[in-house]
């Protein structure tokens, strides 16, 4: 299978069998991300799951860097690692996550879920490989300021063409803020 | 770089998240799985943006939006989970059944009602020492009113 | 304690702080940092606190580098209790008054041969052991107060730490050695009244002198009146 | 080859700075704090005014037994100090010291990078607090998480104000665009940034997460020996990073007389002056109560930061 794939691709300029350095790093980090993600959803120690999530999200930030989306990568670190995971850990601690295994982390339908996930993964991967196996993307040389993932490029595009969604997003954030405050306030008055 | 690498990684990551959402019972863990799925989408968006060399950077802009929405989602989600935990004493999705429909044959659900599924009653009653009896009483009352 | 100006400023700064947080607590406003102080611009109390610490930093510190520099102790420091053995009569008052019973005294009686052929032989207490357990002593000084013969003194010596608690029971040799560190009694205040002992002695001397003078005058008068024998009251009674 | 060598050299330089400057700040804290309280501070270690006190402390910490509580989550407990310490090392790489490439690694999104990575440090105290299996530690961890989330916002807003004024998020770019009148213009933002940075570092008077009178030492209660020393080191490295960042963003970094030759000296001078202020505040002010702390962030610092942002925008529009 792999040999046939390689043969079919050898006519192209870029073979899967002679990967570039970026590709090797990407695959290695990708494996780490995937492993961390699997541990996130499978470990029965709640806080460990959150910490594996940190590894997975941090690895994804590295993947973004490899894809020359520098700005996105730092936003990922800032929002996900700095805030979302801290919030999740906060939530886990407030819901009294125990040290050690909690046997009821997984529900009874985990085998169904596993089957579904495997089927979905098989379908998606087949589809994606079939569709994009010959597609090559040129990564711009990193370091130059005009690469497409730089802060400047993102800022210009964001505030020139995407202003309306941006503003809508700010309204959404405000709504979320108000919602969170209301949710926690009402409880305090009751109890 | 071959587009297949990020695309496959994103697909696998999405499926891992999918498994997590379906298989987890703790609400916070479910939220974490949702984050994984969102991140898979983000990775796809970034990769395709780089591939297409979009002059509008739609992919990256959308990724920013997704990240923002994810932050809002986790904030609200955790607020809800915490409130549920405070009122019900658990963050276990399977036990939060107060609003579930009464069984199909129209009988009022009681503690002896096996119609709700054998594993609900035996997970709910012994494993929820924090939830007082009045809670189940109110649940019955609500279900009866419905 | 040397006069420390910061010591006088510090408490005011501190009280202002506490008053200030109390104020913010009353109002329920959280800007405890900013609004506050007693009048003036907002944050005046905060600035004052900063000024106090900065001023203190520029002053010389008051720390004595103790093992290098010996501390200057006040004249009545209660360091350790010294024993002037020669004055001790083994009356046991100190041991009896000691609240925590940390004074150990052993003695035996000794018979002195009669000084005169007709007199009786006298007995006298001889001190065998005088020890103070400083692991028990609480430095109340009652033993020194009650000693009727001035055998116990406060010594300012304080470096007698030991590595074993049992070694803190010091025997009379050690207590006698500490006697050398006892400072002379401090000079009296110029305006103070005379010490009781001196006043009593002076009164006695004055009386004696007066009696002498009276006797002399009487003798002279008697001589003048040709009486040859002195009056029987001429012998001065002891006061 | 030469570029690799140069990169290695820069990394080593950053590492050396990371390992020595926090000690300098720590020793300064010993002495300044002592003198502000009318004491002398350490006088013996090393001979001259106790200059080697922290080295001696390090030796002492290294000799101590490394204890992990029986009920603790071993792996996470042991990992936490590294997680707390490493972000500051990474941040130091991106801080420009002098003009002309006197920086570990000039990043395009330097400001973003610095703020993002600094936010990770709190994961260390969260992990430590949870894994210690101790209620005081857990309370300390939860408190530090709440404090970080509350103070991250004003800090980011204040930094955004500077980025807006300079029109770039690159730290070297911000310094390149700096003019002296930025200092009065951004002074409120600087105050907000510095104050919330102090709160993120859990320095007094914002040290509720380690309030010894209530929760012993917060998340670090169970730590001993070298791991505890790493937490301490991360606190002082945090002071260094915060002061250097404030100097770069709000006080003009290397700008000053003779900045072409002595730019690095100016940066260091400003950094250490700010570090002195950190110590000064610690000595002067009592600890805030937990609710005061939160209210201070949400009702005072954030509006202030927003006002600074508005002011920056207005001035920017007027002068362009």
């Amino acid at each position: 299978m792999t040999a046939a794939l390689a043969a079919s691709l050898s006519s192209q300029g870029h073979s899967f069998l002679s990967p570039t350095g970026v590709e090797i790093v990407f695959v290695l980090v990708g494996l780490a991300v995937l492993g961390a993600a699997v541990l996130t959803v499978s470990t029965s120690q709640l806080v460990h799951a959150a910490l594996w999530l940190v590894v997975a999200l941090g690895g994804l930030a590295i993947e973004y860097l490899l894809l020359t989306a520098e700005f996105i990568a730092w936003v990922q670190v800032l929002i996900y690692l700095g805030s979302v995971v801290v919030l999740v850990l906060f939530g886990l601690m407030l819901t009294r996550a125990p040290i050690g295994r909690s046997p009821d982390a997984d529900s009874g339908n985990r085998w169904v879920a596993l089957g579904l996930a495997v089927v979905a993964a098989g379908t998606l991967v087949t589809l994606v490989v079939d569709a994009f196996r010959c597609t090559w993307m040129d990564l711009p040389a990193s370091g130059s300021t005009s690469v497409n993932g730089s802060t400047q490029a993102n800022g210009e595009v964001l505030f020139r063409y995407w202003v309306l969604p941006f503003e809508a997003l700010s309204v959404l954030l405000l709504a979320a803020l108000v919602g969170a405050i209301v949710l926690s306030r009402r409880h305090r008055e009751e109890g | 770089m071959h587009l297949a690498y990020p695309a496959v990684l994103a697909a696998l990551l999405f499926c891992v998240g999918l498994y997590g959402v379906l298989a987890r019972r703790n609400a916070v863990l479910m939220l974490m799985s949702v984050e994984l799925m969102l991140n898979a989408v983000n990775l796809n968006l970034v990769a395709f943006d780089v591939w297409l060399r979009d002059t509008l950077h739609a992919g990256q802009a959308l990724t920013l939006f997704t990240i923002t929405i994810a932050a809002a989602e986790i904030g609200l989600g955790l607020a809800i989970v915490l409130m549920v935990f405070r009122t019900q004493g658990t963050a276990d999705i399977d036990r939060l059944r107060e609003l579930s429909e009464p069984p199909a044959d129209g009988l009022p659900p009681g503690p002896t009602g096996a119609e709700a599924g054998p594993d609900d009653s035996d997970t709910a009653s012994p494993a929820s020492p924090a939830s007082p009896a009045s809670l189940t009483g109110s649940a019955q009352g609500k279900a009866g009113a419905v | 304690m040397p006069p420390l100006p910061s010591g006088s400023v510090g408490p005011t700064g501190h009280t202002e702080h506490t008053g200030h947080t109390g104020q913010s607590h009353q109002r329920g406003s959280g800007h405890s940092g900013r609004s506050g102080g007693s009048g003036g611009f907002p944050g005046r109390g905060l600035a004052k606190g900063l000024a106090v610490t900065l001023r203190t930093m520029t002053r010389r510190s008051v720390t004595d580098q103790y093992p290098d520099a010996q501390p200057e102790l006040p004249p009545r420091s209660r360091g350790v209790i010294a024993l002037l053995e020669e004055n001790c009569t083994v009356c046991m008052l100190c041991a009896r008054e000691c609240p925590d019973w940390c004074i150990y005294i052993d003695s035996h009686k000794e018979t002195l041969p009669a000084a005169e052929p007709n007199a009786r032989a006298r007995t006298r207490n001889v001190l065998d052991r005088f020890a103070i357990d400083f692991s028990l002593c609480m430095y109340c000084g009652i033993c020194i107060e009650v000693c009727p013969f001035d055998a116990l003194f406060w010594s300012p010596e304080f470096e007698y730490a030991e590595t074993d608690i049992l070694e803190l029971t010091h025997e009379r040799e050690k207590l006698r050695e500490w006697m050398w560190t006892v400072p002379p009694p401090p000079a009296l205040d110029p305006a103070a009244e005379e010490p009781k002992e001196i006043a009593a002695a002076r009164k006695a001397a004055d009386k004696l002198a007066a009696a002498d003078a009276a006797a002399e005058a009487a003798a002279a008068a008697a001589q003048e009146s040709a009486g040859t024998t002195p009056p029987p009251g001429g012998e001065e009674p002891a006061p | 080859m030469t570029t690799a060598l140069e990169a290695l050299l820069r990394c080593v330089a950053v590492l050396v700075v990371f390992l020595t400057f926090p000690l300098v700040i720590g020793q300064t804290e010993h002495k300044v704090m002592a003198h502000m309280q009318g004491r002398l501070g350490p006088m013996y270690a090393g001979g001259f005014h106790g200059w080697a006190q922290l080295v001696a402390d390090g030796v002492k910490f290294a000799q101590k037994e490394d204890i992990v509580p029986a009920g603790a989550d071993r792996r996470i407990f042991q990992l936490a100090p590294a997680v707390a310490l490493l972000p500051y090392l990474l941040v130091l790489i991106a801080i420009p010291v002098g003009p002309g490439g006197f920086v570990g690694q000039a990043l395009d999104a330097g400001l973003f990078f610095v703020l993002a990575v600094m936010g990770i440090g709190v994961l260390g105290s969260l992990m430590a607090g949870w894994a210690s299996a101790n209620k005081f530690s857990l309370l300390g961890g939860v408190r530090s998480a709440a404090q970080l989330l509350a103070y991250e916002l004003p800090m980011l807003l204040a930094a955004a104000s500077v980025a807006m004024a300079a029109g770039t998020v690159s730290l070297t770019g911000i310094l390149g665009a700096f003019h002296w009148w930025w200092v009065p213009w951004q002074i409120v933002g600087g105050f907000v940034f510095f104050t919330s940075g102090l709160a993120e570092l859990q320095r007094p008077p914002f040290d509720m997460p380690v309030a010894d009178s209530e929760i012993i030492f917060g998340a670090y209660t169970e730590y001993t020996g070298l791991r505890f020393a790493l937490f301490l080191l991360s606190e002082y490295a945090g002071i260094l990073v915060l002061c250097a960042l404030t100097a770069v963003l709000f006080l003009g970094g290397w700008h000053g007389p003779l900045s072409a030759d002595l730019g690095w000296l100016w940066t260091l001078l400003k950094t250490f002056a700010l570090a002195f202020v950190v110590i000064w505040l610690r000595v002067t002010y009592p600890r805030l109560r937990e609710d005061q702390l939160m209210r201070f962030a949400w009702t005072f610092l954030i509006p202030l930061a927003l006002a600074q942002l508005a002011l920056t925008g207005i001035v920017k529009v007027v002068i362009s």
Side-chain angles (χ1 to χ4, degrees):
Chain A
M1 166 80 188
T2 326
L5 201 69
S8 75
L9 284 173
S10 54
S11 57
Q12 315 274 330
H14 312 286
S15 163
F16 276 102
L17 286 183
S18 58
T20 61
V22 179
E23 277 176 328
I24 294 174
V25 176
F26 190 95
V27 168
L28 288 180
V29 176
L31 285 178
V33 168
L34 215 55
V38 168
L39 282 169
T40 303
V41 297
S42 63
T43 178
S44 58
Q45 307 195 27
L46 304 183
V47 173
H48 284 201
L51 295 175
W52 283 118
L53 185 69
V54 172
V55 177
L57 298 179
L60 271 177
I62 298 176
E63 304 281 48
Y64 293 151
L65 273 183
L66 292 175
L67 288 170
T68 69
E70 192 189 345
F71 183 69
I72 301 286
W74 299 134
V75 170
Q76 167 98 359
V77 173
L78 182 68
I79 304 291
Y80 271 114
L81 298 195
S83 307
V84 167
V85 175
V86 172
L87 262 183
V88 166
L89 280 171
F90 203 64
L92 280 178
M93 287 179 191
L94 287 184
T95 52
R96 310 214 184 114
I99 286 181
R101 306 180 175 283
S102 33
D104 55 348
D106 286 326
S107 71
N109 51 11
R110 59 180 300 182
W111 297 112
V112 182
L114 188 61
L116 199 65
V118 167
V119 169
T123 317
L124 278 177
V125 168
T126 319
L127 209 67
V128 161
V129 167
D130 191 41
F132 300 117
R133 68 165 171 243
C134 309
T135 314
W136 178 263
M137 55 181 174
D138 285 320
L139 295 177
S142 63
S144 58
T145 51
S146 62
V147 294
N148 56 6
S150 73
T151 315
Q152 192 181 356
N154 264 307
E156 276 176 6
V157 165
L158 202 58
F159 291 109
R160 194 162 288 162
Y161 302 105
W162 299 97
V163 173
L164 198 61
F166 189 79
E167 292 302 326
L169 201 65
S170 65
V171 174
L172 181 132
L173 272 183
L174 187 66
L177 184 69
V178 173
I181 290 175
V182 167
L183 273 178
S184 33
R185 261 191 98 83
R186 194 174 53 197
H187 172 74
R188 193 179 300 156
E189 282 163 13
E190 282 171 2
Chain B
M1 190 196 294
H2 283 282
L3 185 55
Y5 288 126
V8 168
L9 178 60
L12 288 177
L13 209 56
F14 186 85
C15 292
V16 171
L18 184 68
Y19 166 77
V21 169
L22 292 178
R24 289 301 201 176
R25 232 156 59 160
N26 188 307
V28 184
L29 290 180
M30 267 181 74
L31 282 175
M32 282 159 54
S33 306
V34 171
E35 294 301 320
L36 276 180
M37 293 167 77
L38 282 170
N39 268 282
V41 174
N42 286 350
L43 182 62
N44 253 346
L45 284 171
V46 169
F48 279 84
D49 179 271
V50 173
W51 172 47
L52 292 172
R53 301 189 159 247
D54 186 5
T55 49
L56 288 189
H57 283 312
Q60 296 199 13
L62 208 54
T63 308
L64 282 180
F65 293 167
T66 319
I67 291 178
T68 320
I69 290 173
E73 172 246 327
I74 201 91
L76 268 183
L78 278 176
I80 293 172
V81 170
L82 283 184
M83 210 178 83
V84 168
F85 181 80
R86 281 178 192 158
T87 53
Q88 313 277 9
T90 178
D92 192 336
I93 300 283
D94 287 358
R95 281 189 222 149
L96 304 173
R97 294 183 168 258
E98 272 190 46
L99 296 180
S100 66
E101 290 187 1
D105 52 357
L107 285 171
T112 56
E115 296 89 353
D119 76 329
D120 302 338
S121 55
D122 66 22
T123 52
S125 48
S128 58
S131 66
S134 64
L135 197 67
T136 53
S138 74
Q140 283 168 17
K142 267 182 204 169
V146 167
Chain C
M1 175 97 173
L4 178 65
S6 71
S8 62
V9 183
T12 57
H14 188 67
T15 48
E16 191 170 62
H17 255 302
T18 49
H20 163 63
T21 44
Q23 206 178 26
S24 72
H25 178 56
Q26 257 179 5
R27 287 197 319 242
S29 93
H31 322 162
S32 59
R34 316 306 308 157
S35 58
S38 49
F41 62 94
R44 185 165 152 273
L46 294 179
K48 214 172 182 178
L50 287 175
V52 167
T53 40
L54 195 64
R55 218 179 309 132
T56 311
M57 193 183 75
T58 54
R59 295 224 173 85
R60 278 195 78 77
S61 66
V62 296
T63 308
D64 284 333
Q65 286 296 90
Y66 154 61
D68 297 341
Q70 286 297 324
E72 219 171 278
L73 293 170
R76 294 186 187 182
S77 306
R78 297 183 165 197
V80 73
I81 295 166
L83 171 71
L84 187 60
E85 229 178 285
E86 293 84 343
N87 280 1
C88 182
T89 59
V90 202
C91 64
M92 305 291 276
L93 277 180
C94 51
R96 255 189 282 167
E97 292 296 325
C98 179
D100 33 17
W101 292 80
C102 67
I103 301 180
Y104 308 111
I105 300 178
D106 288 345
S107 68
H108 66 272
K109 282 203 161 105
E110 210 168 65
T111 312
L112 291 181
E116 295 168 24
N118 290 336
R120 278 184 304 177
R122 295 192 173 206
T123 58
R124 155 178 106 87
N125 284 322
V126 178
L127 192 63
D128 290 334
R129 177 176 187 233
F130 192 106
I132 300 180
D133 187 351
F134 284 103
S135 64
L136 288 179
C137 175
M138 62 182 191
Y139 303 92
C140 60
I142 289 178
C143 51
I144 296 166
E145 294 296 325
V146 300
C147 182
F149 300 105
D150 277 353
L152 292 171
F153 292 88
W154 276 121
S155 155
E157 176 68 33
F158 59 92
E159 293 169 308
Y160 53 96
E162 301 286 351
T163 49
D164 188 341
I165 196 169
L166 295 178
E167 290 166 17
L168 273 173
T169 308
H170 287 297
E171 297 294 335
R172 63 173 175 175
E173 291 80 19
K174 195 70 188 286
L175 299 179
R176 182 65 183 84
E177 266 170 44
W178 277 326
M179 201 53 221
W180 303 117
T181 63
V182 174
L188 280 179
D189 194 87
E193 70 177 65
E194 270 181 330
K196 290 273 181 339
E197 295 88 345
I198 296 181
R202 173 161 302 148
K203 212 191 258 175
D206 283 351
K207 229 178 183 177
L208 192 63
D212 274 350
E216 229 162 86
Q223 259 178 354
E224 240 169 58
S225 64
T228 49
T229 53
E235 190 79 17
E236 179 55 37
Chain D
M1 188 57 212
T2 50
T3 53
L5 197 67
E6 198 191 327
L8 189 72
L9 215 65
R10 279 166 192 262
C11 285
V12 169
V14 168
L15 194 67
V16 167
V17 166
F18 181 70
L19 289 180
T20 53
F21 278 38
L23 294 188
V24 175
I25 292 175
Q27 181 68 15
T28 316
E29 174 163 41
H30 273 323
K31 292 311 252 188
V32 167
M33 206 165 141
H35 281 280
M36 280 183 173
Q37 295 167 341
R39 299 183 286 119
L40 285 173
M43 289 297 278
Y44 283 97
F48 179 73
H49 283 263
W51 65 269
Q53 180 64 40
L54 287 177
V55 180
D57 279 349
V59 173
K60 180 193 74 177
F61 279 129
Q63 287 170 343
K64 284 193 174 180
E65 187 186 358
D66 186 24
I67 298 173
V68 180
D73 193 318
R74 220 181 159 76
R75 201 79 56 72
I76 294 179
F77 185 85
Q78 290 173 335
L79 202 63
V83 175
L85 187 59
L86 273 185
Y88 294 117
L89 175 61
L90 290 180
V91 165
L92 267 191
I93 291 176
I95 293 179
V97 180
F102 201 158
V103 52
Q105 174 67 47
L107 289 167
D108 170 43
L111 184 56
F112 245 105
F113 169 78
V114 164
L115 292 175
V117 174
M118 265 178 87
I120 298 179
V122 75
L123 277 180
S125 33
L126 261 181
M127 285 163 69
W130 178 79
S132 295
N134 175 327
K135 59 189 166 200
F136 297 114
S137 300
L138 186 62
L139 269 179
V142 170
R143 275 187 183 183
S144 51
Q147 188 163 325
L148 179 105
L149 286 176
Y151 281 89
E152 185 92 2
L153 193 53
M155 195 174 185
L156 284 178
L157 287 174
S161 159
V162 179
M164 203 157 121
T168 173
V169 288
S170 150
L171 287 176
T172 43
I174 287 173
L175 279 179
F178 182 82
H179 296 285
W180 67 265
W181 48 268
W182 280 27
V183 175
W185 180 24
Q186 301 288 346
I187 187 82
V188 176
F191 167 76
V192 171
F193 186 87
F194 191 65
T195 313
S196 29
L198 274 186
E200 286 204 14
L201 294 178
Q202 301 162 12
R203 288 288 297 179
F206 304 107
D207 60 342
M208 282 314 291
V210 292
D212 51 354
S213 52
E214 299 174 14
I215 49 175
I216 308 180
F217 205 58
Y220 319 129
T221 301
E222 297 284 0
Y223 280 87
T224 55
L226 269 184
R227 291 182 204 281
F228 183 74
L230 287 186
F231 275 121
L232 282 189
L233 182 63
S234 78
E235 178 177 340
Y236 288 98
I239 295 176
L240 173 67
V241 165
L242 171 72
C243 294
L245 262 185
T246 313
V248 165
L249 290 178
F250 295 96
L251 299 180
W254 67 63
H255 288 279
L258 292 175
S259 66
D261 301 324
L262 295 175
W264 58 273
L265 194 62
W266 279 109
T267 312
L268 286 189
L269 239 121
K270 288 168 183 174
T271 304
F272 277 105
L274 284 171
F276 174 77
V277 173
V278 171
I279 298 163
W280 191 9
L281 290 174
R282 169 179 178 176
V283 180
T284 305
Y285 295 134
R287 181 181 298 136
L288 263 69
R289 223 170 42 215
E290 184 71 17
D291 60 322
Q292 290 173 338
L293 193 82
M294 287 294 150
R295 216 176 281 135
F296 183 62
W298 290 103
T299 64
F300 184 69
L301 283 184
I302 289 180
L304 215 59
L306 286 175
Q308 170 69 60
L309 210 58
L311 176 73
T312 310
I314 292 169
V315 172
K316 192 78 180 162
V317 168
V318 166
I319 62 174
S320 67

